[in-house]
């Protein structure tokens, strides 16, 4: 028998993951069965189970892939001296992740934001998935803390700010923007960039004393 190329294997795996993502985004994890996934990707059970042992394995693979993409984007920035400013950095990484998922749609709308919300909901009752998510976010958080320290070393950010607090805030901004897309529809990451840029431009007001 002819050997199946790695390119073919990768394409089949991508097909399964994208089909599962559509099913999960559309109906949620609990309402989706493996039969639903098989129907969506139009493959036999044997073809799918060759790659994934079941629904939990599919969920873990999807989550791991996204967290890897996010971490890779921020890690690349952390190696720059100095890193790009926060507004450009968060928006560019989010744009890159969204672009890789734009072909996966539900009812003509991107499935990824809805899928993210489904993942967050599932972590409330699935400890294994919650652990995977905590680990992934923890790695991203550490990378962001290094980025903040680089900002401070370059004189771009006040030295009295706790790096971990900035890291959590920037991650919250990206997560909140995804949640808005799931609720209200697609929006370009440039909106997030401009919003962060506006917030970053705020300066403290100091009331000076007047001498009579």
């Amino acid at each position: 028998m002819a050997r199946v190329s790695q390119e073919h294997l990768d394409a089949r795996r991508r097909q399964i993951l994208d089909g599962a993502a559509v099913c999960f985004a559309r109906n949620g994890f609990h309402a989706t069965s493996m039969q639903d996934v098989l129907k969506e990707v139009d493959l036999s059970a044997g073809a799918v189970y060759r790659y994934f042992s079941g629904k939990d394995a599919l969920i873990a693979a999807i989550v791991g892939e996204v967290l890897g993409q996010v971490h890779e984007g921020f890690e690349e920035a952390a190696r720059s001296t100095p890193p790009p400013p926060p507004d450009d950095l968060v928006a560019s990484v989010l744009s890159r992740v969204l672009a890789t998922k734009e072909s996966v749609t539900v009812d003509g709308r991107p499935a990824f934001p809805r899928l993210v919300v489904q993942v967050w909901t599932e972590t409330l009752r699935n400890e294994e998935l919650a652990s995977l998510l905590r680990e992934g976010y923890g790695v991203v958080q550490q990378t962001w803390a290094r980025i903040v320290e680089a900002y401070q070393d370059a004189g771009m950010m006040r030295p009295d700010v706790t790096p971990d607090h900035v890291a959590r805030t920037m991650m919250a901004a990206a997560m909140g923007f995804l949640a808005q897309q799931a609720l209200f529809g697609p929006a370009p990451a440039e909106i997030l960039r401009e919003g962060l840029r506006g917030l970053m431009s705020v300066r403290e007001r100091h009331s000076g004393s007047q001498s009579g």
Side-chain angles (χ1 to χ4, degrees):
M1 292 179 62
R3 294 182 60 184
V4 178
S5 70
Q6 187 61 47
E7 183 179 355
H8 174 82
L9 294 174
D10 292 343
R12 181 57 54 85
R13 186 176 189 275
R14 175 83 274 139
Q15 176 187 356
I16 297 169
L17 283 176
D18 288 349
V22 167
C23 290
F24 295 147
R26 181 191 296 130
N27 300 318
F29 295 119
H30 286 273
T32 298
S33 67
M34 282 301 290
Q35 286 300 319
D36 294 327
V37 175
L38 297 179
K39 183 179 179 181
E40 182 69 32
V41 299
D42 194 23
L43 292 173
S44 67
V48 172
Y49 284 111
R50 175 180 182 180
Y51 295 86
F52 302 101
S53 60
K55 205 162 59 167
D56 287 346
L58 280 165
I59 297 169
I62 292 170
V63 171
E65 181 180 66
V66 172
L67 287 173
Q69 290 172 339
V70 172
H71 177 241
E72 182 182 346
F74 289 133
E75 188 64 35
E76 181 180 321
R79 293 192 291 267
S80 303
T81 307
D87 52 336
D88 287 333
L89 178 51
V90 174
S92 64
V93 170
L94 192 58
S95 290
R96 194 183 312 177
V97 174
L98 289 172
T100 65
K101 309 297 182 187
E102 63 184 359
S103 63
V104 183
T105 61
V106 174
D107 299 328
R109 292 173 56 174
F112 179 65
R114 291 175 60 173
L115 178 64
V116 169
V117 174
Q118 295 284 0
V119 168
W120 293 340
T121 302
E122 182 65 12
T123 59
L124 300 177
R125 51 191 161 203
N126 184 329
E127 181 53 37
E128 287 188 13
L129 183 59
S131 178
L132 176 64
L133 208 61
R134 281 195 299 269
E135 181 180 349
Y137 279 128
V139 171
V140 174
Q141 193 171 328
Q142 291 172 12
T143 301
W144 247 108
R146 286 167 40 219
I147 292 171
V148 172
E149 290 169 356
Y151 289 151
Q152 293 172 328
D153 290 343
M156 297 168 63
M157 184 176 287
R158 285 169 34 179
D160 60 335
V161 176
T162 304
D164 182 63
H165 294 178
V166 179
R168 292 174 68 97
T169 300
M170 298 311 292
M171 291 167 62
M175 293 166 71
F177 192 69
L178 282 174
Q180 287 185 18
Q181 294 201 39
L183 293 171
F184 310 127
E190 284 71 21
I191 292 176
L192 180 61
R193 176 186 284 112
E194 290 300 313
L196 289 172
R197 188 168 294 167
L199 291 173
M200 289 163 57
S201 70
V202 173
R203 297 288 181 265
E204 293 183 29
R205 294 183 60 184
H206 299 281
S207 55
S209 59
Q210 295 183 348
S211 57

